[in-house]
Amino acid sequence: MPQGGLQNSAHMPIKHSTYRKAASLLLAGFVAMTLGCEQTAVVKDVEGYRVVSHDTKTGEWVILRNGTFDGKYLVKRITAVCNYYQWGNGKRVEGQDACNLRVGEMLVPTVAPDRGKESLVISELSSEWLTIIRGQGPEMVIQTLKIVKYEVLP
């Protein structure tokens, strides 16, 4: 092998400077492409229901529902007032102050909860009722809210 380089398949010497130039051009092209391209990856929020506010005077809860509906990602604002709360086989507590939701909480329904995880089923019935069922058996909590306003956010 001749000094100062490698041999290609035709047994001709290839200088190291040729490799450096090629590597520099590839690196420059990669940097140009990276800086010149916009990032198109969209990070979606976890789909579910976010409790964003509660007005104790009116009893209104504001819940943002995000998800994919008919193939389109949307955020819906649901304004609702508690109808009733029931824990297990206990007595149903009715009225606008009965529900127990935490502002800031993200409620993500579970289809089939993992062992040890709490089940959570949320149903929107005919745009009039929102039902939240958490847990199972004697520890199950049911909260039903009357929807007073339903809107899709821009």
Side-chain angles (χ1 to χ4, degrees):
M1 179 167 20
Q3 281 189 329
L6 301 174
Q7 288 189 339
N8 66 13
S9 60
H11 302 291
M12 300 290 290
I14 300 175
K15 296 192 176 200
H16 289 289
S17 62
T18 304
Y19 284 114
R20 280 190 221 121
K21 285 180 186 175
S24 295
L25 287 172
L26 285 172
L27 181 60
F30 176 74
V31 169
M33 286 176 42
T34 303
L35 294 176
C37 295
E38 291 183 31
Q39 291 185 338
T40 56
V42 176
V43 178
K44 283 189 188 176
D45 290 331
V46 173
E47 293 189 6
Y49 298 77
R50 169 88 57 197
V51 181
V52 293
S53 71
H54 179 236
D55 185 333
T56 56
K57 289 182 182 178
T58 64
E60 288 185 342
W61 294 91
V62 175
I63 300 168
L64 295 181
R65 165 68 167 119
N66 67 321
T68 304
F69 305 92
D70 297 325
K72 186 174 180 184
Y73 181 80
L74 299 172
V75 177
K76 301 176 183 180
R77 181 184 357 235
I78 301 169
T79 305
V81 177
C82 185
N83 183 41
Y84 76 85
Y85 172 98
Q86 184 173 4
W87 181 15
N89 294 326
K91 184 179 176 192
R92 179 187 287 193
V93 179
E94 296 183 357
Q96 71 180 28
D97 298 327
C99 289
N100 183 24
L101 300 172
R102 291 187 314 265
V103 172
E105 179 178 23
M106 181 66 167
L107 302 170
V108 180
T110 54
V111 177
D114 294 333
R115 182 174 224 152
K117 285 200 169 197
E118 179 177 71
S119 68
L120 179 62
V121 177
I122 302 176
S123 301
E124 295 172 47
L125 305 170
S126 70
S127 298
E128 292 183 30
W129 297 99
L130 179 68
T131 301
I132 302 168
I133 303 170
R134 195 185 304 245
Q136 298 176 6
E139 297 299 315
M140 180 171 62
V141 172
I142 301 172
Q143 300 182 78
T144 299
L145 298 96
K146 172 79 172 146
I147 298 172
V148 295
K149 190 173 185 182
Y150 206 128
E151 56 192 316
V152 174
L153 300 180

